[in-house]
């Protein structure tokens, strides 16, 4: 007997089917099917032929491909009995629960040892499909690998796009051709990782940012993950995501995957991007003050590092407030005897040498300036040179001979005593001070992969969020080392990269927007000469790149000239005037004809206004700019277009480009088919163009 199920939203349909009560497989995923479609016929039509050199029947590419049923590729489950014997279940359907937007399929194995439960849910507004797996065993089992529900990859795709990176260079896109065999990406460092962001885009042939079909995936788990994208000998393709292999150290009776977020787009890569952006912002992140515009940050790290002096910090706070900052974040160096990165992590008591009267004088000064106050912590880490380590050396994760990183070790977050100590320490600081924000850092990888570490961190964050619901938390891990939807269930902002180099940021932000909305993506105006690249950049470029996301400053404001101060004030004023609608805007990557130009269009939810940021990251091959085509506008509507930073036009731009002489009104059809004609500029400059419906 054949059984089939479907989930639909306005643009996509997911159909699963199975025969004889075996594991379901995805038999269709793509554009919305008619309501009257015969799913049993689809299941039959999905089957592929059998010929020479093959088994007499094709093993199913199910939601959990089974090694026990001769599946020739990566199975969806690999586990052993507690005594080390391989466990090869054959799963049969036990129960189905379905409503309009969700489907839960429960299976048991032939020996009644294992229960396997696959959950699917579709969001009709954001167009995201959520999929996850739970397994329960009647005896303790060792787990090597458990995939979230497996999705097929399309045949008309020539490549896959995944994401690599490094410190100060996150979200680098890899374009890899589909070939027979498996592409495996795995983060085994105990955090999401700079190197392996858990995302995948599978474009169909001819797709671009703004057109064509594409499939998107993101795995929402912070403790290390594995991705397998495999083409079988018969040509079928599968996508698997799950926790990194072998990170459960103990035999257990229950295991679960993180949530796999998936979406189909018929609007190019931007369709995937807007689905992820909206779902993260509107369904996952919980803002303590959702009706309050995002405040402009000031972070003191690159101004003072560990050299904390109250009068100096007050002076910097005065200058930051005058620039337009609305939140002052005191970074590393306020606790223990923390004069450099060699000591005091774990000793979360205010340093009486630097703050003899505690943090209150600084906080009161900041509050009197009209700014909120934020504080840096790195709770999961500990220095061997700390009172806490000397009292509790057994709290450390890993062996005595491990390699330290940044002079620090990792606390074992799975230990209840560690969680309690950290909660009490942080809660004591928060209870005694008017603190609205925590920058939560994570500056080294784990000495060994361990899923319990992330679960313990999640538990601590959940407890703190319950006790202090008005405190906002930023996820930082040497910049973008822990960015995923799992950590963002518990935080409200990510520090995208430790690089404040605006050229590098332009690319990092552009690629990260495939998954992250403006509202959660921190971006700061760095020093004139960048501390991580040595590059010297104009204040206008630095400021406008920061204004693309949740804006802030992280330079020493004492270095600014009078002209730079006014430029930064002007951009900050513009950002404040526009940040409310930009908070909910879709970030759309534009297809630039010039590889040197990195361009995006932020479009308001009602389509009434947009802003284009066209950054020139390098020297163009041609003399003058190529037209830049916009997207998702109303073809028959008229738009008033204005170059916001028209004062930045250089005298070497000697032509009669319409944008340089004032606003103009043109149709959406013109802007999407011909595009904007931009003025000439030097590299490391950016044009900002505002558009409004007339």
């Amino acid at each position: 007997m054949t059984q089939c199920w479907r989930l639909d939203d306005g643009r996509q349909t997911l159909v699963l089917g199975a025969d004889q009560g075996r594991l379901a497989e995805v038999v269709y995923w793509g554009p919305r099917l008619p309501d009257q479609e015969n799913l049993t016929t689809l299941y039959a039509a999905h089957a592929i032929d059998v010929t020479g050199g093959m088994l007499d029947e094709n093993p199913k590419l199910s939601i959990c491909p089974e090694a026990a049923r001769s599946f020739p590729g990566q199975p969806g489950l690999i586990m052993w009995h507690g005594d080390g014997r391989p466990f090869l279940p054959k799963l049969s359907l036990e129960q189905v629960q379905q409503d309009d937007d969700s489907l839960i399929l429960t299976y048991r194995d032939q020996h009644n040892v294992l229960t396997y439960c696959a959950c699917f849910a579709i969001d009709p507004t954001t167009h995201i499909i959520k999929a996850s797996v739970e397994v329960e065993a009647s005896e303790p089992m060792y787990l090597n690998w458990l995939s979230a529900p497996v999705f097929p990859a399309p045949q008309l795709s020539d490549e896959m796009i995944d994401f690599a990176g490094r410190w100060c260079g996150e979200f680098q896109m890899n374009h890899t051709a589909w070939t027979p065999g498996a592409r495996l990406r795995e983060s085994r460092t105990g955090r999401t990782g700079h190197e392996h962001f858990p995302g995948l885009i599978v474009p169909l042939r001819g797709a671009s940012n703004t057109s064509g079909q594409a499939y998107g995936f993101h795995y929402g788990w912070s403790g290390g993950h594995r991705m397998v994208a495999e083409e079988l000998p018969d040509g079928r393709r599968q996508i698997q995501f799950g926790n990194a292999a072998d990170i459960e150290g103990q035999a257990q009776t229950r295991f679960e995957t993180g949530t796999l977020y998936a979406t189909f787009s018929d609007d190019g890569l931007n369709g995937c991007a807007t689905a992820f952006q909206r779902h993260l912002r509107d369904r996952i992140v919980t803002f303590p003050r959702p009706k309050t515009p995002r405040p402009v940050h000031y972070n003191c790290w690159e101004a003072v590092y560990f050299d904390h002096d109250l009068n100096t910090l007050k002076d910097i706070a005065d200058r930051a407030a005058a620039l337009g900052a609305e939140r002052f974040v005191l970074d590393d160096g306020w606790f223990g005897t923390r004069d450099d990165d060699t000591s005091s992590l774990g000793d979360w008591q205010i340093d009486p040498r630097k703050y003899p009267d505690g943090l209150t004088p600084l906080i009161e000064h900041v509050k009197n300036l009209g700014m909120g106050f934020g504080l840096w912590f790195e709770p999961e880490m500990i220095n061997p040179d700390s009172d806490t380590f000397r009292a509790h050396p057994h709290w450390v994760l890993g062996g005595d001979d491990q390699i330290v990183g940044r002079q620090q070790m990792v606390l074992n977050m799975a230990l209840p005593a560690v969680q309690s100590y950290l909660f009490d320490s942080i809660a004591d600081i928060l209870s005694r001070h008017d603190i609205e924000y925590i920058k939560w850092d994570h500056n080294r990888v784990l000495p060994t992969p361990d899923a319990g570490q992330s679960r313990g961190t999640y538990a601590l964050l959940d407890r703190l969020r319950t006790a202090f619901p008005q405190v906002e938390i930023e996820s930082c891990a040497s910049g973008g080392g822990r960015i995923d939807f799992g950590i963002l269930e518990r935080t409200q902002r990510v520090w995208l990269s430790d690089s404040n180099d605006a050229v590098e940021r332009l690319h990092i932000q552009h690629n990260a927007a495939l998954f992250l909305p403006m509202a959660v993506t921190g971006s700061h105006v760095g020093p004139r000469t960048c501390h991580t690249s040595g590059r010297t950049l104009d204040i206008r470029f630095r400021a406008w790149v920061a204004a693309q996301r949740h804006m802030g400053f992280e330079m020493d404001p004492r270095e600014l000239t009078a002209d730079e101060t006014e430029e930064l004030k002007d951009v900050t004023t513009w950002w404040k005037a526009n940040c409310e609608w930009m908070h909910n805007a879709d970030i759309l990557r534009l297809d630039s004809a010039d590889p040197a130009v990195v361009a995006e269009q932020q479009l308001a939810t009602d389509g009434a206004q947009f802003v284009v940021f066209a950054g020139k990251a390098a020297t163009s091959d041609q003399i003058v700019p190529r037209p830049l085509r916009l997207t998702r506008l109303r073809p028959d509507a008229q738009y008033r277009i204005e170059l916001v930073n028209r004062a930045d036009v250089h005298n070497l731009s000697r032509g009669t480009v319409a944008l340089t002489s004032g606003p103009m009104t043109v149709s959406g059809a013109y802007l999407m088919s011909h595009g904007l004609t931009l003025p000439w500029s030097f590299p490391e400059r950016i044009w900002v163009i505002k558009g409004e419906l007339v």
Side-chain angles (χ1 to χ4, degrees):
M1 182 181 71
T2 299
Q3 293 175 278
C4 295
W5 309 272
R6 66 183 286 173
L7 294 171
D8 302 275
D9 63 24
R11 79 179 186 196
Q12 66 184 332
T13 295
L14 178 72
V15 178
L16 295 98
D19 198 22
Q20 300 176 352
R22 293 188 178 179
L23 276 165
E25 59 182 320
V26 175
V27 298
Y28 177 84
W29 182 27
R32 178 82 155 75
L33 293 175
D35 291 341
Q36 65 272 21
E37 191 80 52
N38 188 308
L39 302 186
T40 303
T41 301
L42 289 190
Y43 180 80
H46 176 73
I48 62 174
D49 205 353
V50 175
T51 186
M54 299 176 70
L55 296 175
D56 295 338
E57 179 184 339
N58 289 303
K60 300 298 184 185
L61 201 172
S62 71
I63 57 175
C64 183
E66 296 168 285
R69 298 192 191 274
S70 302
F71 185 72
Q74 169 76 29
L77 173 66
I78 303 173
M79 64 192 325
W80 291 273
H81 292 277
D83 60 9
R85 290 178 294 120
F87 178 61
L88 297 172
K90 294 180 180 179
L91 297 170
S92 297
L93 185 65
E94 184 175 79
Q95 185 180 26
V96 178
Q97 299 168 262
Q98 185 173 23
D99 59 27
D100 289 344
D101 299 324
S102 68
L103 173 67
I104 301 174
L105 301 174
T106 303
Y107 296 83
R108 286 191 69 83
D109 80 294
Q110 71 274 30
H111 301 299
N112 290 323
V113 173
L114 190 77
T115 300
Y116 172 97
C117 183
C119 303
F120 298 85
I122 194 167
D123 191 306
T125 302
T126 66
H127 307 298
I128 286 291
I129 298 169
K130 298 194 302 180
S132 60
V133 168
E134 297 179 4
V135 296
E136 291 190 4
S138 60
E139 62 182 72
M141 295 280 190
Y142 287 104
L143 180 68
N144 169 267
W145 168 245
L146 175 62
S147 176
V150 175
F151 285 77
Q155 294 292 307
L156 284 178
S157 172
D158 295 323
E159 67 173 7
M160 64 190 88
I161 303 170
D162 58 24
F163 299 84
R166 56 171 173 79
W167 178 67
C168 288
E170 297 84 344
F171 285 94
Q172 306 301 312
M173 293 173 68
N174 294 318
H175 295 257
T176 304
W178 281 99
T179 58
R183 176 165 174 78
L184 183 147
R185 296 292 305 274
E186 187 165 30
S187 171
R188 300 192 58 78
T189 62
R191 60 186 185 184
T192 317
H194 300 85
E195 307 83 1
H196 304 284
F197 174 76
L200 178 70
I201 305 291
V202 183
L204 270 65
R205 193 171 297 155
S208 68
N209 286 320
T210 59
S211 65
Q213 295 184 348
Y215 295 81
F217 302 86
H218 170 68
Y219 188 64
W221 163 250
S222 310
H225 67 277
R226 169 184 279 190
M227 180 203 81
V228 179
E230 183 177 26
E231 181 173 293
L232 302 176
D234 57 34
R236 291 179 295 173
R237 295 165 172 174
Q238 65 163 331
I239 304 294
Q240 295 190 14
F241 274 95
N243 296 0
D246 284 321
I247 62 173
E248 302 286 356
Q250 303 295 322
Q252 301 174 47
T253 58
R254 185 179 183 278
F255 301 97
E256 63 182 359
T257 68
T259 300
L260 177 61
Y261 300 87
T263 190
F264 163 78
S265 165
D266 56 6
D267 193 21
L269 273 62
N270 283 336
C272 297
T274 55
F276 288 126
Q277 291 169 23
R278 293 174 184 179
H279 196 85
L280 177 62
R281 183 190 62 229
D282 300 338
R283 300 288 189 268
I284 294 177
V285 176
T286 52
F287 295 100
R289 291 166 288 276
K291 296 183 179 180
T292 301
R294 305 295 275 151
V296 177
H297 276 215
Y298 177 77
N299 184 290
C300 70
W301 175 241
E302 293 194 9
V304 299
Y305 290 100
F306 298 102
D307 187 14
H308 288 211
D309 172 75
L310 181 59
N311 290 329
T312 299
L313 290 168
K314 286 181 175 181
D315 177 37
I316 289 174
D318 292 342
R319 296 168 185 262
L323 290 169
E326 297 164 305
R327 176 180 285 159
F328 182 97
V329 181
L330 184 67
D331 213 284
D332 193 356
W334 58 268
F335 55 92
T337 54
R338 182 80 163 170
D339 296 327
D340 54 32
D341 62 7
T342 66
S343 75
S344 300
L345 280 178
D347 297 343
W348 300 111
Q349 296 84 37
I350 299 165
D351 185 347
R353 304 170 306 152
K354 299 176 182 177
Y355 299 97
D357 299 313
L359 294 177
T360 299
L362 178 59
I363 293 174
E364 288 181 347
H365 184 81
V366 166
K367 298 290 287 187
N368 288 336
L369 292 168
M371 295 188 289
F373 186 82
L375 193 61
W376 181 95
F377 287 91
E378 193 172 4
E380 297 149 271
M381 303 296 158
I382 190 167
N383 287 120
D385 182 10
S386 67
D387 293 340
T388 304
F389 178 84
R390 285 183 280 271
H392 304 284
H394 57 287
W395 282 359
V396 167
L397 183 70
D400 295 339
D401 61 345
Q402 66 178 271
I403 300 172
V404 299
R406 203 177 182 237
Q407 313 294 325
Q408 63 196 49
M409 303 171 84
V410 183
L411 287 169
N412 185 346
M413 297 297 295
L415 296 177
V418 170
Q419 294 180 32
S420 294
Y421 167 74
L422 291 173
F423 176 83
D424 291 343
S425 299
I426 298 170
D428 178 65
I429 296 290
L430 296 180
S431 298
R432 293 189 294 110
H433 300 89
D434 188 358
I435 295 172
E436 67 176 34
Y437 185 85
I438 291 174
K439 179 181 177 182
W440 187 294
D441 217 336
H442 184 295
N443 276 311
R444 65 151 288 175
V445 300
L446 303 192
T448 181
D450 186 343
Q453 188 73 10
S454 290
R455 288 194 290 265
T457 299
Y458 282 177
L460 176 59
L461 283 165
D462 290 343
R463 188 177 175 190
L464 285 166
R465 288 288 311 282
T466 299
F468 302 95
Q470 293 303 305
V471 175
E472 185 174 326
I473 302 175
E474 173 186 278
S475 174
C476 175
S478 296
R482 186 159 62 185
I483 296 176
D484 59 82
F485 288 13
I487 200 68
L488 279 161
E489 287 184 44
R490 298 157 175 90
T491 58
Q492 294 82 22
R493 191 181 197 251
V494 295
W495 183 229
L496 189 59
S497 177
D498 274 348
S499 174
N500 279 322
D501 183 309
V503 174
E504 295 175 351
R505 275 271 172 168
L506 193 65
H507 292 283
I508 295 169
Q509 292 177 176
H510 190 61
N511 294 341
L514 284 166
F515 301 92
L516 304 178
M518 170 271 205
V520 305
T521 308
S523 187
H524 294 175
V525 183
R528 184 184 300 118
T529 300
C530 179
H531 291 190
T532 57
S533 71
R535 188 182 277 123
T536 300
L537 295 168
D538 183 83
I539 188 65
R540 299 168 183 82
F541 185 56
R542 287 183 278 146
W544 282 118
V545 169
Q548 290 181 269
R549 299 296 184 265
H550 183 186
M551 187 178 187
F553 320 135
E554 198 160 338
M555 91 294 285
D556 187 340
R558 296 171 296 181
E559 79 172 18
L560 296 172
T561 66
D563 287 344
E564 288 175 327
T565 297
E566 291 308 310
E567 292 285 353
L568 187 50
K569 284 182 179 179
D570 287 346
V571 176
T572 305
T573 299
W574 181 91
W575 189 86
K576 288 181 178 182
N578 289 274
C579 69
E580 284 195 67
W581 72 263
M582 289 170 62
H583 180 281
N584 293 315
D586 292 329
I587 303 174
L588 306 170
R589 291 159 51 99
L590 297 178
D591 294 316
S592 172
D594 182 353
V597 174
V598 179
E600 70 179 34
Q601 174 187 330
Q602 298 191 22
L603 179 64
T605 52
D606 61 2
Q609 58 185 321
F610 63 83
V611 61
V612 171
F613 295 94
K616 192 170 182 181
T619 301
S620 300
D621 290 337
Q622 73 286 342
I623 295 176
V624 295
R626 303 182 190 273
L628 180 66
R629 299 170 83 178
L630 307 191
T631 189
R632 290 197 182 186
L633 303 179
R634 302 175 193 174
D636 57 349
Q638 295 289 308
Y639 292 86
R640 181 182 184 273
I641 307 297
E642 182 172 15
L643 185 61
V644 175
N645 56 337
R646 190 163 64 247
D648 293 347
V649 176
H650 195 274
N651 58 17
L652 285 177
S653 173
R654 299 182 291 130
T656 55
V657 179
L659 279 174
T660 62
S661 59
M664 64 180 185
T665 300
V666 292
S667 69
Y670 174 83
L671 293 169
M672 291 189 291
S673 59
H674 180 274
L676 284 169
T677 300
L678 300 173
W680 175 91
S681 73
F682 287 115
E684 300 172 358
R685 300 291 189 273
I686 190 168
W687 294 124
V688 183
I689 302 101
K690 184 76 182 293
E692 296 178 311
L693 273 173
V694 176

